[in-house]
């Protein structure tokens, strides 16, 4: 005998958070001026002024692509989190992806419970003045993932 399963608001608990749009793809570079010039003068993109983020140990230039952004990253200060990556990848390369979430605290709680390492205990304010958190690349198919509150 077949039973029809009914999905009511009672039987399906509402998700505590949801993954949203791709916010940016970050590229670490040993020469920020050269990489910015590549996108602006050779590829003809719209780019931002450099922004120094001492709390994150990086200087960024954003490249606006319309549907998403590129974040060009260069180390700032002596303990930059991207220095090790640039030591291993001398010409630079793809560093992380950033995906928006609608509730970063709920996301962190659930991901931690599922064994995904968050690289800080609390979100920090990121390049867009919104809370961000990074997830360990070894727990995310080899890709460093940044979550940003939408
Ligand atoms: C402003 C903000 C914003 O947009 O709002 C930003 O983006 S700030 C962007 C900069 N900030 C961040 O990246 C913060 C989060 N990142 C970090 O805390 C760090 O970069 C780590 C991800 C923990 C890696 O640190 P570090 O390179 O010193 O550690 P490690 O050499 O021990 O690396 C551990 C393993 O992870 C690998 N690994 C390191 N960086 C990686 C990356 N970007 N993508 C994929 N794998 C990576 C290493 O090769 C190594 O693998 P093997 O053991 O197999 O060799
Ligand atoms: Co980023």
């Amino acid at each position: 005998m077949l039973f029809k399963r009914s999905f009511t608001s009672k039987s399906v608990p509402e998700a505590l958070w949801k993954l949203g749009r791709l916010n940016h793809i970050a590229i670490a570079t040993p020469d920020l001026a050269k990489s910015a010039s590549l996108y602006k003068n050779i590829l003809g993109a719209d780019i931002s002024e450099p922004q120094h983020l001492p709390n994150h140990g990086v200087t960024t230039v954003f490249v606006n692509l319309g549907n998403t952004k590129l974040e060009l990253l260069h180390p700032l200060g002596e303990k930059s989190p991207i220095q090790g990556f640039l030591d291993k990848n001398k010409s630079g390369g793809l560093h992380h992806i950033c995906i928006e979430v609608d509730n970063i605290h709920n996301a962190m709680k659930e991901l931690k419970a599922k064994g995904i390492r968050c690289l800080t205990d609390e979100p920090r304010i990121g390049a867009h003045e919104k809370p961000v958190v990074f997830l360990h690349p070894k727990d995310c198919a080899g890709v460093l993932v940044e979550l940003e509150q939408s």
Side-chain angles (χ1 to χ4, degrees), residues 39-51:
Y39 281 97
K40 184 179 177 193
N41 299 318
I42 300 180
L43 295 170
D46 176 25
I47 70 166
S48 74
E49 288 299 317
Q51 195 185 355

Side-chain angles (χ1 to χ4, degrees), residues 24 26 62 71 73 96-98 127 134 146:
H24 62 265
F62 275 93
E71 178 184 49
L73 291 174
H96 65 265
I97 61 171
C98 175
F134 287 85
E146 178 182 6

Side-chain angles (χ1 to χ4, degrees), residues 113-143:
K114 290 182 174 171
I116 310 286
R117 283 167 286 174
C118 296
L119 293 172
T120 50
D121 288 337
E122 289 295 325
R124 299 168 66 198
I125 297 302
H128 305 115
E129 302 288 325
K130 291 178 174 177
V132 301
V133 69
F134 287 85
L135 309 179
H136 201 290
K138 296 293 178 194
D139 299 337
C140 300
V143 174

Side-chain angles (χ1 to χ4, degrees), residues 3-17:
F3 287 98
K4 220 178 176 186
R5 218 173 144 191
S6 67
F7 290 96
T8 64
S9 56
K10 268 187 185 166
S11 61
V12 183
E14 208 161 289
L16 296 173
W17 65 281

